[in-house]
Amino acid sequence: MADPSSRGDPKVIAAWCLYDWANSAFNTLVVTFVYSTYFAQTFADDPGRGTALWSRGIIVSAVIVAVVAPFAGVLADRGDRRKYLFSCTLVCCLMTAALTFVHPGQVHAALIAIVLFVVANVAFEIGLVFYNSFLPNIVSEDRIGRVSSYGWGLGYAGGLVCLALALPFATLDPPLLGISSVDGFNVRVTNLLVGAWFLVFSVPFFLLVRDSDVYRPRSDIGTAFVDLRQTFSHLCRHRQIRRFLVARLIYNDGLVTIFAFGGIYAAGTFGFTLSEVIVFGIALNVVAGAGAWIFGSVDDRLGGKTTVMISLVFLALSTVLAAFASDRFWLWVAGVGIGFFLGPTQSASRSLMGRFVPKQHESEFFGFFAFSGKVTAFTGPLLLGVLSDVYSQRVGVFSVTLFFIVGGALLMTVDEHEGLHGGAR
């Protein structure tokens, strides 16, 4: 675990939260709004086909993360979590920057772009295993919900600011600083901004947030298999963690799908231009950050389970509204609703897991937390991609509500009090 002397240190907490500010640029610009929309519109013959291709990149990423995350967790709990996190951060930044130089006119351009994106996305997601596992170590249990929400809120703010900085490059004619717009280079260059942003703002984390010097002996891949089996055995004995992870396995599929296809849906069905998609993304990040911050105190007062349940109800309703929206006004209303409750769902899920996990096994259990978020994460994008290709994007978006409804029903079976007792530190 992290150095106990740093627990509750405002500087350490601030540095931990700032990493959310740093990494959210990747999720906001690459996965959700700018690059995903650009790819769907330019790397295929039509937006429906582009949506299907992008969904395959999301699917492959999810499968790889589901396989790797549990092993990453058991290795990290034997030491060097910061080093693993730094490696993941660096790989994500470099692969994201490389997307700048792949244009639609190249041979196998779509394949090259998808491969680079998959590597970047896997590095990003595996990095979160190590990053999230620090949360129970830097703050006391009675403040874990607020600190988790501060991270998510700051993350949305970071994504917002980076998105605003990208706007003059991607939408002005001529683009800012005289950058060429040939083959959409002015849009692709925003990937350089994302890579630099992520790398620079992650530095305080690596300077201030430290691991403890006390660890079990280092592990190789062979012993990692043994450790993984033992961790799975421990997980099976924590009934409420198991139930929570199964519920999250379902509702997180809906979150992944919303993130991956929000901008694509706005452009493909409602004719949003790239600049309008970016403005839409800015607005959603504003309300998402507000939602995460507002619900932080709710999380600590009412518990993570209640916070997630409230959020899932409104996410389902807002997604139905988005699917049946008759015009842009109602899409905006639905988007604001989705944005506001995305933050609390993610933040409260992380804080609930942080309260449940056994002491000194944070990375191992957060490895399974990542696993639960990815092992079936291909189903949402796959379903939306297929339905968009065969029927329409509206039908694809409507299918997302199923994941929120089923996941919420499963979450109702979780006994939060028992889970807290089992994970007491």
Side-chain angles (χ1 to χ4, degrees):
M1 61 180 183
D3 185 352
S5 64
S6 67
R7 199 177 197 196
D9 186 331
K11 290 185 295 184
V12 172
I13 292 173
W16 183 87
C17 291
L18 193 61
Y19 189 88
D20 256 327
W21 165 283
N23 70 17
S24 290
F26 176 79
N27 240 341
T28 303
L29 274 76
V30 179
V31 179
T32 308
F33 292 110
V34 179
Y35 190 76
S36 59
T37 303
Y38 168 76
F39 180 93
Q41 292 182 328
T42 61
F43 280 79
D45 296 334
D46 64 84
R49 180 61 178 165
T51 301
L53 287 174
W54 186 255
S55 73
R56 288 167 191 166
I58 299 292
I59 290 165
V60 171
S61 302
V63 171
I64 295 173
V65 172
V67 172
V68 175
F71 290 99
V74 297
L75 287 173
D77 268 335
R78 287 183 174 268
D80 298 331
R81 280 185 296 181
R82 277 201 316 154
K83 292 181 180 178
Y84 290 126
L85 179 56
F86 178 76
S87 298
C88 289
T89 301
L90 187 60
V91 169
C92 182
C93 293
L94 291 175
M95 294 301 101
T96 300
L99 286 171
T100 305
F101 306 102
V102 182
H103 62 81
Q106 290 176 290
V107 178
H108 304 306
L111 177 61
I112 295 170
I114 287 295
V115 168
L116 290 174
F117 168 71
V118 166
V119 175
N121 201 29
V122 168
F124 173 83
E125 295 288 350
I126 296 300
L128 292 181
V129 173
F130 312 125
Y131 169 65
N132 288 335
S133 69
F134 281 93
L135 177 59
N137 307 139
I138 65 170
V139 66
S140 59
E141 186 177 297
D142 62 329
R143 294 186 61 215
I144 199 170
R146 273 168 287 183
V147 171
S148 180
S149 71
Y150 295 160
W152 279 114
L154 196 59
Y156 281 116
L160 168 65
V161 173
C162 193
L163 192 59
L165 291 176
L167 191 62
F169 293 98
T171 63
L172 290 183
D173 187 19
L176 189 68
L177 303 179
I179 291 174
S180 173
S181 60
V182 176
D183 290 324
F185 182 74
N186 59 312
V187 179
R188 288 182 280 115
V189 79
T190 60
N191 292 310
L192 286 178
L193 172 64
V194 171
W197 178 281
F198 192 174
L199 192 61
V200 169
F201 286 109
S202 66
V203 169
F205 179 96
F206 298 111
L207 292 178
L208 296 175
V209 183
R210 300 188 178 279
D211 281 317
S212 172
D213 293 330
V214 181
Y215 283 101
R216 292 176 290 174
R218 296 294 190 267
S219 175
D220 56 27
I221 296 298
T223 54
F225 274 97
V226 176
D227 287 350
L228 183 62
R229 186 171 58 189
Q230 292 176 344
T231 301
F232 185 75
S233 176
H234 294 157
L235 183 64
C236 289
R237 292 199 296 269
H238 288 78
R239 179 174 56 180
Q240 301 310 322
I241 295 180
R242 187 174 69 248
R243 289 178 177 177
F244 167 61
L245 292 181
V246 171
R248 182 176 180 267
L249 180 147
I250 303 299
Y251 71 70
N252 195 70
D253 288 357
L255 299 180
V256 169
T257 309
I258 289 292
F259 272 121
F261 298 101
I264 293 172
Y265 179 60
T269 299
F270 292 88
F272 278 40
T273 64
L274 183 60
S275 60
E276 289 173 327
V277 168
I278 292 176
V279 172
F280 189 57
I282 290 173
L284 264 60
N285 271 265
V286 170
V287 295
W293 280 70
I294 290 170
F295 273 82
S297 58
V298 174
D299 184 350
D300 283 333
R301 291 176 183 175
L302 302 182
K305 175 186 172 181
T306 300
T307 303
V308 175
M309 286 297 305
I310 294 171
S311 299
L312 290 177
V313 169
F314 283 97
L315 282 173
L317 293 174
S318 298
T319 304
V320 170
L321 179 58
F324 288 97
S326 57
D327 52 38
R328 291 187 177 195
F329 172 79
W330 289 110
L331 179 66
W332 270 94
V333 172
V336 168
I338 290 171
F340 188 82
F341 289 100
L342 274 176
T345 306
Q346 296 170 304
S347 175
S349 295
R350 179 168 66 183
S351 65
L352 184 60
M353 185 66 181
R355 293 184 179 104
F356 279 4
V357 294
K359 187 177 180 180
Q360 297 182 341
H361 295 280
E362 290 86 2
S363 290
E364 294 180 19
F365 277 74
F366 269 106
F368 278 98
F369 182 74
F371 175 82
S372 76
K374 296 300 175 183
V375 65
T376 62
F378 64 89
T379 56
L382 177 61
L383 184 60
L384 186 147
V386 169
L387 292 176
S388 296
D389 213 7
V390 175
Y391 297 104
S392 70
Q393 288 184 328
R394 288 184 182 275
V395 176
V397 168
F398 180 74
S399 68
V400 176
T401 60
L402 297 175
F403 297 98
F404 297 140
I405 293 170
V406 174
L410 292 172
L411 185 61
M412 290 179 66
T413 68
V414 175
D415 185 333
E416 188 170 5
H417 177 75
E418 180 181 316
L420 292 172
H421 179 74
R425 26 188 21 83

